[in-house]
Amino acid sequence: MFNFHQTIPLKEKSQDRILTIMIALMICSILVIECSALFLTNLSARWHNSVINIATVEAPQGTSRNTLNELEKIFKNSVFIDDYKVMDEDSIKKIIAPWINKDLLEDGDIPLPTIFTLSLRSGSSIERDKLKFALKALNKDIKMETHQNWLSEAFKRAKSLKILAWAVGVTLSLTLITSLTILTRTRVLLNMDVLKLLHTSGATDRYITKQFLTYILAIALKGILIGGVLAGILIYSLASSVNSAPKDQAFTFSSLTQGDIIALWLTPIIILALMLITTSQTVMNALKRMI
Amino acid sequence: MISFEEVGLRYGNQPEVFSGVNFTLSQGAFYYLSGPSGAGKTSLIKLLSLTQRPTRGFIRMFGQLIEHQDRKSLVSVRRKIGIVFQDFRLLNHLSVFENVALPLRIKQTNPKAIKKNVEELLDWVGLGDRMHYSPLMLSGGEQQRVSIARAIISQPHLLLADEPTGNLDQEISDKLLKLFNQLHRMGTTIVMATHNEHIIQNNPHPILHLDNGILTEKIAPTFPNRKLRKSPLAEISETIKHL
């Protein structure tokens, strides 16, 4: 296709360079945004998988040994509970450390509750409610937290962020495609005399359109390549800078699934295809005005 | 070969440029298209070159009724027409070679054949040594030669010339007409728009005269029965080199 003979003067070095840079920056932004959205999706899924089947039961300080034994009996007998563990004192201190004075914690004057961590089986909400009812019946001060509330809140926010990221990505893609359409229209108008000459000389619409497509394809491929490399560097730098985060929150390339990587590859290809389709349509529409 | 039946043309809501135009061009004919400025000569050339559709009437070209043809089918009709413009319309971003090669590139002719034919034709018109020049580096007469070479490279059935001598001095105009006469003798149908009385007087051919939107056909004075001293091709070659 690149050996195709260009008879329309479409190339303009300085403008082409600006256009290549614009495409590169847009593609880079789109890929970084898409990557962030995909990472957010995966992070939500990981949170979901790691905490959805975990619950904590808190018995306030001073709960009698008998009550605690009864509590353990309920856990053992419940079909909803797979396993349970009593959280040791140090772990409890770590959890409450951000809210409590350090000296108070070390003195041991703070009344610490007894906390059980439960591994739940996947089950209906009826099972969960039954368990809650049994615990309340034993002691009304015993609380059970299934993470359901904060998790659904976190998911809602993650979802909003994802939608926002996709919306920005789509807007950028549309802006890029619109800019190219405007550029194509401008080139059509600038070269109208040449187009008319080609048309009267018996050139087919395809012959003329192909020249525009070849030109846009050459610039777009260059821009996409540069944008892709830039995005790769940015994402890699971002990944390196957050690698100190807890393992399940850190972003690495392995955080992306195979499907995500395919989606990242497909994005510039889809944008390129849309660019070529709109270019072709724009030129065809201009040519259709000639008889 | 070409016939116009009751052809009328108007641009938008303007009055008709011409109405009820009827004429027939047989193969190998040479017609002048004359008339005062604004009489519609260029509009008629536009209809003949298929860059404008008539608002009424029928145009038949090379056996095809133009009104019934879609855009795709008109391509094959256009490829049978060569056009020489008053302002040459050369593509200044292309070399002389590429300008002449344009109709062949459009037809996707084999590159080797393009090279051979264009080089031969450029040699023939005396521009063989300037084929890699930009048209901007050529004189008016040389540019018109390139324009003619481009118009005839694909051996058109019909050669249209819209005021081809408009930008040339009298001497070069006479030589250009000599070349057109020779192409005509080789069988090319020619329609040449001009209001150059000197040319019409010295090179008698039938005239399609447009005035106030009415087309009349004037029979040419007796065509001088010149004897060709050489073959038409050899004579053309000699003439064109002096343009």
Side-chain angles (χ1 to χ4, degrees):
Chain A
M1 198 170 184
F2 288 107
N3 290 327
F4 183 71
H5 220 89
Q6 286 282 353
T7 46
I8 308 169
L10 296 172
K11 287 178 191 165
E12 279 189 35
K13 264 189 185 175
S14 58
Q15 283 183 23
D16 293 354
R17 204 175 301 137
I18 293 169
L19 188 64
T20 309
I21 294 169
M22 189 187 85
I23 294 174
L25 291 177
M26 291 255 192
I27 290 290
C28 173
S29 313
I30 292 164
L31 288 178
V32 170
I33 287 168
E34 191 184 350
C35 197
S36 314
L38 289 170
F39 169 65
L40 210 55
T41 308
N42 293 345
L43 189 66
S44 309
R46 263 185 285 161
W47 280 348
H48 184 269
N49 292 338
S50 55
V51 297
I52 193 69
N53 289 327
I54 289 174
T56 47
V57 171
E58 182 190 328
Q61 209 246 3
T63 309
S64 68
R65 188 66 246 170
N66 269 351
T67 309
L68 292 175
N69 288 343
E70 283 295 316
L71 201 57
E72 288 193 52
K73 232 185 248 176
I74 292 172
F75 294 158
K76 277 177 194 163
N77 293 335
S78 171
V79 287
F80 189 51
I81 297 166
D82 205 17
D83 193 17
Y84 74 93
K85 261 193 284 181
V86 183
M87 201 180 276
D88 61 60
E89 209 167 278
D90 286 341
S91 303
I92 297 171
K93 278 180 181 172
K94 263 186 205 169
I95 292 171
I96 61 171
W99 295 279
I100 306 289
N101 186 303
K102 200 181 167 192
D103 296 334
L104 278 176
L105 263 180
E106 280 169 4
D107 289 349
D109 291 342
I110 294 289
L112 293 174
T114 307
I115 296 178
F116 296 89
T117 312
L118 313 180
S119 296
L120 306 175
R121 288 200 183 104
S122 303
S124 67
S125 56
I126 299 169
E127 292 293 334
R128 193 177 59 230
D129 291 344
K130 263 189 195 171
L131 180 65
K132 272 188 181 173
F133 185 76
L135 297 180
K136 279 269 179 236
L138 185 66
N139 184 335
K140 65 178 173 48
D141 294 325
I142 294 173
K143 290 176 194 161
M144 183 172 133
E145 178 57 68
T146 56
H147 304 287
Q148 203 70 33
N149 293 339
W150 76 265
L151 201 57
S152 62
E153 193 59 36
F155 281 163
K156 261 188 220 164
R157 288 183 188 184
K159 200 176 170 187
S160 306
L161 278 173
K162 268 190 288 177
I163 291 170
L164 186 70
W166 286 117
V168 172
V170 169
T171 309
L172 279 176
S173 308
L174 290 177
T175 310
L176 180 57
I177 291 162
T178 310
S179 311
L180 275 178
T181 308
I182 293 168
L183 173 102
T184 309
R185 270 193 197 167
T186 313
R187 291 289 158 92
V188 166
L189 289 175
L190 280 175
N191 293 294
M192 193 47 96
D193 287 344
V194 181
L195 299 195
K196 280 182 181 168
L197 179 75
L198 291 173
H199 184 67
T200 47
S201 304
T204 55
D205 291 352
R206 195 169 166 267
Y207 173 88
I208 294 170
T209 308
K210 206 172 163 187
Q211 297 203 35
F212 279 88
L213 289 179
T214 311
Y215 164 71
I216 293 291
L217 184 64
I219 288 181
L221 279 180
K222 219 189 285 175
I224 285 172
L225 195 74
I226 297 170
V229 171
L230 268 178
I233 294 170
L234 259 175
I235 294 166
Y236 183 78
S237 314
L238 204 73
S240 309
S241 70
V242 293
N243 266 352
S244 54
K247 205 184 163 195
D248 63 335
Q249 287 164 34
F251 173 72
T252 58
F253 280 104
S254 59
S255 311
L256 300 173
T257 65
Q258 212 170 357
D260 297 340
I261 292 166
I262 292 170
L264 284 173
W265 275 107
L266 273 178
T267 304
I269 295 171
I270 292 169
I271 292 173
L272 179 66
L274 288 172
M275 279 183 203
L276 296 180
I277 291 168
T278 49
T279 301
S280 168
Q281 283 303 313
T282 310
V283 179
M284 286 287 202
N285 285 342
L287 292 175
K288 272 178 193 158
R289 280 179 218 128
M290 301 177 196
I291 70 156
Chain B
M1 190 171 80
I2 294 164
S3 68
F4 275 46
E5 285 171 44
E6 293 300 318
V7 171
L9 176 70
R10 79 166 72 234
Y11 296 107
N13 293 326
Q14 302 292 313
E16 277 194 317
V17 180
F18 42 75
S19 55
V21 167
N22 292 290
F23 68 86
T24 305
L25 292 179
S26 53
Q27 195 168 352
F30 189 143
Y31 273 89
Y32 288 121
L33 184 58
S34 73
S37 292
K41 297 192 294 292
T42 300
S43 293
L44 197 65
I45 291 280
K46 276 184 182 173
L47 291 178
L48 282 165
S49 60
L50 303 179
T51 50
Q52 182 75 51
R53 277 192 193 274
T55 32
R56 64 187 175 92
F58 301 99
I59 299 175
R60 193 180 290 276
M61 292 178 92
F62 314 115
Q64 296 185 50
L65 197 59
I66 298 307
E67 282 70 22
H68 293 172
Q69 305 299 315
D70 57 14
R71 294 184 75 250
K72 256 187 182 173
S73 321
L74 288 179
V75 168
S76 63
V77 180
R78 283 199 180 93
R79 288 182 181 180
K80 291 176 182 165
I81 304 169
I83 310 173
V84 179
F85 300 96
Q86 180 181 4
D87 55 359
F88 319 135
R89 299 208 192 158
L90 299 177
L91 303 180
N92 294 327
H93 64 283
L94 297 180
S95 65
V96 166
F97 178 96
E98 285 303 332
N99 268 281
V100 176
L102 195 64
L104 300 181
R105 294 247 185 251
I106 286 170
K107 280 187 184 173
Q108 293 180 318
T109 309
N110 178 303
K112 276 184 187 167
I114 292 179
K115 193 172 183 297
K116 185 177 167 283
N117 291 345
V118 174
E119 282 180 359
E120 268 179 21
L121 187 59
L122 281 173
D123 275 338
W124 190 59
V125 298
L127 291 171
D129 57 337
R130 292 172 190 214
M131 63 174 80
H132 300 299
Y133 281 34
S134 158
L136 293 170
M137 295 162 77
L138 306 179
S139 68
E142 286 170 332
Q143 289 191 24
Q144 191 60 295
R145 271 194 260 169
V146 178
S147 163
I148 293 166
R150 183 181 63 192
I152 62 175
I153 184 88
S154 53
Q155 295 168 312
H157 296 205
L158 172 67
L159 183 65
L160 298 172
D162 188 9
E163 304 272 6
T165 58
N167 288 332
L168 303 176
D169 61 36
Q170 197 55 56
E171 194 189 347
I172 296 177
S173 300
D174 287 339
K175 284 175 181 165
L176 180 75
L177 254 293
K178 210 171 165 188
L179 168 72
F180 277 12
N181 282 328
Q182 286 157 350
L183 284 169
H184 167 228
R185 261 176 256 150
M186 288 170 76
T188 311
T189 309
I190 299 174
V191 176
M192 178 177 153
T194 185
H195 53 240
N196 188 328
E197 284 301 322
H198 171 83
I199 284 175
I200 296 173
Q201 294 289 323
N202 291 318
N203 301 273
H205 290 290
I207 300 166
L208 295 170
H209 186 77
L210 261 174
D211 200 1
N212 278 331
I214 312 285
L215 186 86
T216 47
E217 195 171 335
K218 294 178 183 175
I219 307 298
T222 318
F223 194 83
N225 201 5
R226 260 190 335 122
K227 254 192 176 177
L228 287 175
R229 284 164 293 154
K230 298 172 186 168
S231 70
L233 203 65
E235 203 171 319
I236 290 172
S237 178
E238 209 161 273
T239 307
I240 207 161
K241 278 176 188 166
H242 290 100
L243 270 179

